[in-house]
Amino acid sequence: MSSKSALKRVSALALVGAGSLARAGPCDIYASGGTPCVAAHSTTRALYDDYTGALYQVLRGSDSSTTDISPLSSGVADADSQDSFCKGTTCLISIIYDQSGSGNHLTQAPPGGAASGPEANGYDYLASAIGAPVTLNGQKAYGVFSSPFTGYRNNDVNGTATGDDPEGMYAVFDGTHYNTGCCFDYGNAETNSRDTGNGHMEAIYFGTGDGSGHGTGSGNGPWIMADLENGLFSGYDHINNDADPTITSRFVTAIVKGEPNQWAIRGGDATTGDLSTYYSGVRPDGGYSPMIKEGAIILGIGGDNSDSAQGTFYEGVMTTGYPSDDTESKVQANIVAAGYATTSLTSGPELTVGDTITLRVTTSCCSTRYIAHTDDVVNTQVVTSSSDDTLQKQASWTVQTGLGNDACFSFESVDTPGSFIRHSNYELHVNANDNSKGFSEDATFCPQSGLNGQGNSFRSWSYPTRYWRHFNAIGYIASNSGPHSFDAAASFNDDVSFVVGSGFDS
Ligand SMILES: *[C@@H]1O[C@H](CO)[C@@H](O)[C@H](O)[C@H]1NC(C)=O
């Protein structure tokens, strides 16, 4: 144990002794258990009682400047400082700092073996800074909402487990944000962003991936599993582990830990109760014992940069040494005490479910145009109160509860009931609701105050870096600069701001 950890223990004890409110963090607890953190990441709170440094860095769209977000005296991130820095523009999370003192910060994931990210330089996308708002004991903070093609990584690590070294990990995720894509992971991976073989990873996985035939948990998922490379494992190889349950809680604590020929999956509701052990036993056959861990750290992607998964990360750590169940119980109690809860995903002029609305463009070129559709293509058209009934209906929308998240909204076509505005390949279309998870998510948008100060901007729930935008009179979900022509930074704020009305101007 480092002298730094020892000092932390002393200061935590001193707080208890003084009778003041001790708020030993998860990493103080791991240190007390003899398995200190070697990486500690959170955009929502300090993970040590005395950590006052930066939690994360945000990158602002308007001028590409950055600022660090630090904890308030409560330990919770100063979300207000982010909100003021990002006012009237977009922000991305550009660095998630390592609080452990080991320098294991997470930054934009570079190209890998499985996939080159969609950014021009082959990197994955950075996450929106506002995709995952929550409160911790009533104080607002933001998690990391990772859409497909979003990823963070550190290949130049310091002190994380390698080879068959013991390690522990936990992460707090959104139990309702997942998919089957590979792979929403947090933990230990290859240092060259390539698949270097079985046993070269040991990361927490969350989602409904089928584990490439290595078995899943019970029910339909999502499950907490382990990504050990070339397989997601719910327990012993090739066997569905009925003890690894489908997760149903909004906030989930997920644990994977491993030591020579022994590993475990544990989990629980991050807002109440203790952890359960879903698997504890020997390693799978086929090259997983001894492990050949490389020690890089990934978030939101697979070890080879497979980047089609989605999920939300709030906090997580990696330790040196195999933490005891008792230590993890204390960490879980600390997470529960942090008081994670949901909060509003919207802002700006309020929408009311059941209302019929119109959506007027605010860009000065085009302010007589409204969001409309021609067949399945969403576009903008000049519409007035004297336009014919057909055109007026093509440009009228019924506000519905968000199909994919009831804190946001979906927009049903007035002339084609049962069809909704949804994004597909970043284009906006009007398609019939097929009731699939994918459609529901693609048809869910979160209005916020218009980025140009007028009306609302409509953020994609599933790709929160992207907003409804008109570009050459066609509708897209666009980011504030990016690889597509419709991501152009010029005129972005105007092109993504729309005035909600109840009819058409004359
Ligand atoms: C590596 O980690 C140790 C222990 O936390 C720390 O003292 C040291 O400064 C770190 N090295 C770098 C380069 O960050």
Side-chain angles (χ1 to χ4, degrees), residues 115-131:
S116 285
E119 290 272 46
N121 54 8
Y123 279 62
D124 291 331
Y125 288 130
L126 295 169
S128 165
I130 59 167

Side-chain angles (χ1 to χ4, degrees), residues 2 4 37 100-104 158-159:
S2 70
K4 187 174 177 212
C37 295
S100 78
S102 300
N104 291 320
N158 172 21

